[in-house]
């Protein structure tokens, strides 16, 4: 099983990054939408991989930290949640914001994720509570120490006080089909101090879907 991959980004299509390893092999790796601005063509990248083997092929899902990969693995164990929905969740939430969403039972935040209805959101909250406790994540309030501050890419002209939240929101909007410049403009327009990624996404979607006069 493939556990990690290191190489150069030679192409991006949708949410799939084509990574060429030093041996010359190219691997297609699906990544959360929030990563797309961080992997321009030609950039060097390293990803922790969740490898899925199926009858009709093999799939690779890539994450920048082991904690996010573990969260993905826990989420896809839930009833009715497959890898695609898992990636959608990881496109919207980082680990601390997901834990806070489960802890505070923010159903509306979960239903803002493509493909997640109210019943699925309620089930995710119920089933993830014990998993979060078992992993000792219940009091998590910041990005895990294994995530280097220098690895965070701050999008130009976005509020510096909540760069991670804004970056996550932009990634989620891009994964919904909006162009990056549209997503950035909407996030800048709706952001106010202290907003979480899920709040920014909901407000930005309202901004993007409001008919212009």
């Amino acid at each position: 099983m493939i556990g990690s991959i290191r190489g150069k980004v030679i192409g991006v299509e949708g949410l799939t990054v084509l990574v060429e390893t030093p041996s010359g092999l190219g691997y297609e790796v699906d990544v959360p939408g929030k990563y797309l601005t961080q992997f321009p063509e030609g950039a060097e990248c390293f990803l922790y991989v969740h490898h899925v083997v199926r009858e009709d092929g093999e799939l690779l899902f890539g994450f920048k930290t082991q904690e996010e990969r573990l969260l993905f693995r826990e989420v896809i164990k839930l009833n009715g949640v497959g890898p695609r929905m898992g990636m959608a969740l990881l496109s919207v939430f980082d680990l601390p914001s997901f834990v806070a969403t489960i802890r505070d039972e923010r159903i509306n935040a979960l239903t803002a994720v493509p493909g997640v209805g109210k019943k699925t959101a309620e089930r995710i909250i119920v089933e993830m509570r014990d998993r979060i406790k078992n992993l000792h994540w219940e009091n998590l309030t910041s990005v895990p120490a294994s995530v280097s501050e220098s690895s965070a890419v701050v999008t130009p002209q976005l509020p510096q006080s909540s760069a991670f939240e804004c970056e996550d929101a932009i990634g989620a909007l891009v994964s919904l089909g909006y162009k990056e410049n549209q997503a950035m403009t909407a996030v800048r327009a709706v952001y106010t101090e202290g907003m979480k990624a899920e709040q920014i996404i909901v407000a930005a979607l309202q901004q993007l879907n409001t008919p212009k006069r």
Side-chain angles (χ1 to χ4, degrees):
M1 301 292 283
I2 298 174
S4 66
I5 187 168
R6 184 188 300 276
K8 179 181 292 186
V9 176
I10 61 173
V12 178
E13 184 176 348
L15 298 179
T16 302
V17 176
L18 180 59
V19 181
E20 185 180 72
T21 64
S23 66
L25 288 175
Y27 292 89
E28 294 183 341
V29 186
D30 287 357
V31 299
K34 61 189 178 186
Y35 291 172
L36 294 180
T37 57
Q38 302 176 31
F39 291 142
E41 190 170 333
E44 296 291 331
C45 75
F46 174 84
L47 293 166
Y48 292 99
V49 170
H50 177 74
H51 186 187
V52 176
V53 179
R54 304 191 312 197
E55 290 184 2
D56 58 347
E58 300 184 24
L59 300 172
L60 302 178
F61 299 94
F63 306 92
K64 294 185 70 175
T65 69
Q66 294 185 68
E67 289 84 2
E68 284 201 327
R69 182 177 64 178
L70 178 57
L71 175 58
F72 175 77
R73 287 173 169 173
E74 291 298 318
V75 165
I76 63 175
K77 293 177 185 177
L78 304 178
N79 183 31
V81 178
R84 296 303 175 192
M85 187 180 293
M87 291 300 282
L89 287 165
L90 268 292
S91 290
V92 174
F93 301 103
D94 61 9
L95 178 56
S97 63
F98 183 80
V99 169
T101 296
I102 299 302
R103 183 179 61 235
D104 299 339
E105 300 185 5
R106 301 174 187 168
I107 292 177
N108 289 340
L110 289 172
T111 56
V113 177
V116 179
K118 184 177 180 181
K119 290 184 178 180
T120 300
E122 291 172 343
R123 187 167 61 248
I124 290 172
I125 289 172
V126 171
E127 295 186 21
M128 280 302 299
R129 283 198 196 110
D130 289 340
R131 295 178 188 273
I132 286 172
K133 289 180 181 178
N134 291 338
L135 292 166
H136 306 291
W137 284 346
E138 63 268 28
N139 295 317
L140 189 64
T141 57
S142 61
V143 178
S146 63
V147 182
S148 169
E149 291 183 3
S150 63
S151 69
V153 175
V154 179
T155 305
Q157 301 179 16
L158 287 175
Q160 298 293 312
S161 57
S162 190
F164 280 106
E165 303 294 341
C166 291
E167 194 71 27
D168 288 356
I170 290 170
L173 293 170
V174 170
S175 73
L176 290 173
Y178 293 99
K179 295 184 182 299
E180 184 179 349
N181 62 338
Q182 289 179 300
M184 290 175 62
T185 299
V187 168
R188 284 199 299 268
V190 303
Y191 177 81
T192 57
E193 184 68 32
M195 288 179 74
K196 297 297 183 183
E198 59 266 31
Q199 296 171 312
I200 300 171
I201 293 163
V202 172
L205 285 171
Q206 292 174 341
Q207 172 89 3
L208 289 163
N209 293 323
T210 298
K212 294 183 179 180
R213 296 180 179 180

